[in-house]
Amino acid sequence: MIDTTTQRPTRTIRATVNGAPVELVIEPRDLLLHVLRDRLGLYGVKSSCDVQVCGACTVLVDGAPVSSCTTLALEIDGKRVETIEGMATGNDLHPIQQAFVDKAAIQCGFCTPGMVLTTKALLTDIPRPTRAEIEAYLGGNLCRCTGYWNILDAVEDAAERMAGEGAR
Amino acid sequence: MIGVFDIARPGSVAEASALLREHGPDAAIYAGGTELLILLKDRLLEPSLLVDIKHIPGLDAISLDPCGCLLRIGALATHREIERSETVRAALPELAATEANVANIRVRHAGTIGGNLSFAEPHSDPATLLIALGATIALESDAGRREVPAEDFFTGFLSTAREPEELLTEVLVPTVEPGTTVIYERFKIHERPSASLGLVMDIEGGKIGTARLVVGCIGERPVRMIRAEAMLAGQAPSPDLFATAAALVREETDPTVDAFESGDYKRQLAATLTLRALERATGSGATGGAR
Ligand SMILES: Cc1cc2nc3c(=O)[nH]c(=O)nc-3n(C[C@H](O)[C@H](O)[C@H](O)COP(=O)(O)OP(=O)(O)OC[C@H]3O[C@@H](n4cnc5c(N)ncnc54)[C@H](O)[C@@H]3O)c2cc1C
């Protein structure tokens, strides 16, 4: 577990990322954000505040929202990771994504992957959340464009759509 | 980028403690990492070994003793687990509600109670309430276990009574009798609270029995307001009494001045939270406000 050229400690991790198995040799110090972006090309994972305040780097690990900027990549060993790239099925957007589009809940789009994934976690926990529950759950996802109202509307809309068609 | 380190995953407290003893200041305990990884990214700390305690079995347990009088919260229990624990909700609903308002969903999901208390960052929500509740903190090493009252655990800014080779393993929280009210109030406009207040008070026959009143977040550590507590004991609740208590708290607090708030402003927050808590405890006045 010491790399012979760099003399640095390494670990092999195995995880499922957006449904596909991956095996990677990483260093213990590698952050999940960098592994997802730089090793796996998942650029929907955004880097912003770097201190777990803004939510732009949110991914789901075993269904729970995680700040990938402040999570060691080795923590995903044996786990299931979802990023925004895994939400749509072919050209069909996930109902949460479709709700964000239809409600104009996106402006510059930088916070959107984190918003959508956090919404997915919320609706898994609480399929029909109240407005207050949505505000509380999404309180750690910052958006500097929309003023939030359209996002809250989109989450409500997504909850309705998913209740209608059965969660996927 | 974070400096190079290796990581160990001890399977027991004794093993973790032995590693800490062996590596001294080169080792750092790693739980949820919500505070630690920020220090590492900023290179404020450059350990060569992280001692990942998350794989020690049983350290995340939450249980109520058969007497119903003592809640045990394992150090690795996350804020989210405490918030959602039926045991905590039933035994001490205000503690569960306090945990539900810590940080954001991601930090609550990763961050542990043990990490929160061990780090002793002054703006901790649970620290203030746990001292008011008379909680005890269990510390364990390969040399044994000791218990420290929460009010003696915090010794200053980012410093505690914990020895370097000790792990915080458990928080022991006495539950309260039916007539006792447990209240947590805070004022928060930044990422973490600006001021917090914990109050545990019982009222019998129209008189206050004992009151434990703790002010947190405004100084280096949460502090019991001994003078206000003594003044309240044995008195009949009234607006005048509460105003006197708030005035005493204003005098008794010792705020640190920082870039965000002046000392006077913090004293004012503490006095206002005192009033709110006492009013809420007695069902009087306009309660609530920003939490
Ligand atoms: C954006 C943000 C917002 C926050 N908001 C709030 C808030 O509103 N209210 C609040 O109360 N807190 C808040 N916090 C703090 C949060 O509660 C703590 O970060 C978290 O609980 C720390 O636990 P951890 O397991 O992540 O600790 P780690 O980061 O793993 O460790 C923290 C420190 O404690 C040590 N340590 C960890 N576990 C133990 C143990 N069992 N025994 C001995 N030493 C140990 C580590 O060595 C390290 O020095 C916030 C944090 C962030 C990043």
Side-chain angles (χ1 to χ4, degrees):
Chain A
M1 288 186 300
I2 299 280
D3 185 291
T4 45
T5 37
T6 64
Q7 294 302 313
R8 296 203 288 255
T10 61
R11 293 287 187 283
T12 303
I13 57 167
R14 291 174 194 84
T16 308
V17 178
N18 295 329
V22 296
E23 183 176 313
L24 291 164
V25 177
I26 57 158
E27 292 187 40
R29 63 173 175 162
D30 288 340
L31 292 164
L32 181 56
L33 172 85
H34 299 138
V35 168
L36 293 174
R37 285 179 60 92
D38 304 341
R39 302 280 300 275
L40 300 176
L42 299 168
Y43 298 116
V45 187
K46 302 299 179 196
S47 170
S48 183
C49 79
D50 217 26
V51 289
Q52 299 223 46
V53 169
C54 76
C57 71
T58 304
V59 300
L60 303 184
V61 177
D62 281 352
V66 161
S67 297
S68 60
C69 74
T70 312
T71 301
L72 296 179
L74 56 79
E75 296 291 351
I76 68 165
D77 189 30
K79 297 192 174 153
R80 192 166 43 84
V81 180
E82 286 167 86
T83 71
I84 195 68
E85 287 85 351
M87 291 283 288
T89 310
N91 287 330
D92 289 341
L93 292 183
H94 187 282
I96 298 172
Q97 293 174 302
Q98 195 60 56
F100 270 67
V101 172
D102 294 349
K103 294 289 174 188
I106 304 168
Q107 284 184 33
C108 85
F110 203 79
C111 74
T112 309
M115 289 284 180
V116 167
L117 289 160
T118 307
T119 301
K120 185 171 185 203
L122 163 65
L123 297 182
T124 307
D125 258 6
I126 315 173
R128 299 305 298 262
T130 63
R131 195 87 169 179
E133 284 169 331
I134 300 171
E135 284 178 23
Y137 207 97
L138 290 182
N141 287 74
L142 305 186
C143 171
R144 299 281 93 144
C145 307
T146 62
Y148 298 104
W149 290 102
N150 291 9
I151 293 176
L152 297 172
D153 289 346
V155 176
E156 280 181 344
D157 185 45
E160 259 167 57
R161 287 171 199 242
M162 289 166 70
E165 70 175 48
R168 45 172 235 210
Chain B
M1 191 166 202
I2 297 178
V4 176
F5 62 78
D6 205 347
I7 190 159
R9 287 184 161 165
S12 70
V13 171
E15 210 185 305
S17 174
L19 281 168
L20 294 169
R21 207 182 282 283
E22 181 190 338
H23 292 268
D26 292 334
I29 298 177
Y30 164 65
T34 58
E35 301 280 24
L36 184 71
L37 293 178
I38 292 173
L39 299 181
L40 300 193
K41 286 198 279 189
D42 290 346
R43 304 255 178 154
L44 294 170
L45 207 63
E46 296 192 81
S48 55
L49 182 73
L50 294 200
V51 179
D52 182 358
I53 60 172
K54 288 195 298 299
H55 301 264
I56 301 177
L59 272 193
D60 60 350
I62 298 176
S63 68
L64 189 65
D65 276 11
C67 61
C69 57
L70 193 69
L71 185 64
R72 293 173 184 267
I73 305 176
L76 287 180
T78 62
H79 298 296
R80 187 81 175 135
E81 283 161 357
I82 301 170
E83 160 194 354
R84 303 179 89 176
S85 155
E86 289 303 331
T87 308
V88 180
R89 285 186 184 196
L92 286 168
E94 190 75 350
L95 179 59
T98 299
E99 285 288 337
N101 285 310
V102 166
N104 58 48
I105 187 72
R106 302 178 303 280
V107 172
R108 282 205 300 288
H109 177 259
T112 64
I113 187 75
N116 180 294
L117 301 176
S118 301
F119 196 51
E121 205 283 335
H123 303 91
S124 162
D125 286 296
T128 303
L129 180 57
L130 288 171
I131 294 175
L133 283 164
T136 302
I137 286 170
L139 300 169
E140 278 178 65
S141 71
D142 46 3
R145 170 176 166 128
R146 64 187 177 116
E147 291 178 6
V148 180
E151 65 177 293
D152 301 329
F153 179 70
F154 303 97
T155 51
F157 178 74
L158 305 186
S159 66
T160 69
R162 186 180 69 81
E163 296 296 334
E165 68 284 357
E166 283 179 319
L167 269 67
L168 192 163
T169 51
E170 211 177 21
V171 186
L172 310 171
V173 199
T175 59
V176 297
E177 299 292 326
T180 301
T181 318
V182 180
I183 290 194
Y184 180 71
E185 289 283 338
R186 72 173 187 193
F187 182 76
K188 176 167 147 166
I189 44 172
H190 306 301
E191 202 49 39
R192 303 179 191 214
S194 301
S196 63
L197 187 131
L199 173 70
V200 177
M201 184 167 88
D202 62 274
I203 299 178
E204 220 186 290
K207 295 239 167 87
I208 295 170
T210 55
R212 282 176 68 98
L213 203 156
V214 179
V215 171
C217 302
I218 68 169
E220 294 202 331
R221 61 194 180 93
V223 179
R224 273 180 73 186
M225 298 288 104
I226 309 285
R227 284 167 61 199
E229 287 180 1
M231 195 279 296
L232 286 165
Q235 303 293 313
S238 74
D240 281 351
L241 183 77
F242 294 170
T244 311
L248 271 181
V249 165
R250 186 197 291 270
E251 281 176 27
E252 209 175 345
T253 47
D254 184 16
T256 44
V257 179
D258 56 37
F260 299 111
E261 292 115 357
S262 69
D264 282 347
Y265 179 67
K266 288 180 172 181
R267 286 180 195 276
Q268 175 65 35
L269 290 178
T272 302
L273 294 184
T274 302
L275 267 185
R276 281 188 188 164
L278 287 166
E279 286 173 355
R280 184 144 76 91
T282 52
S284 61
T287 57
R291 292 214 50 196

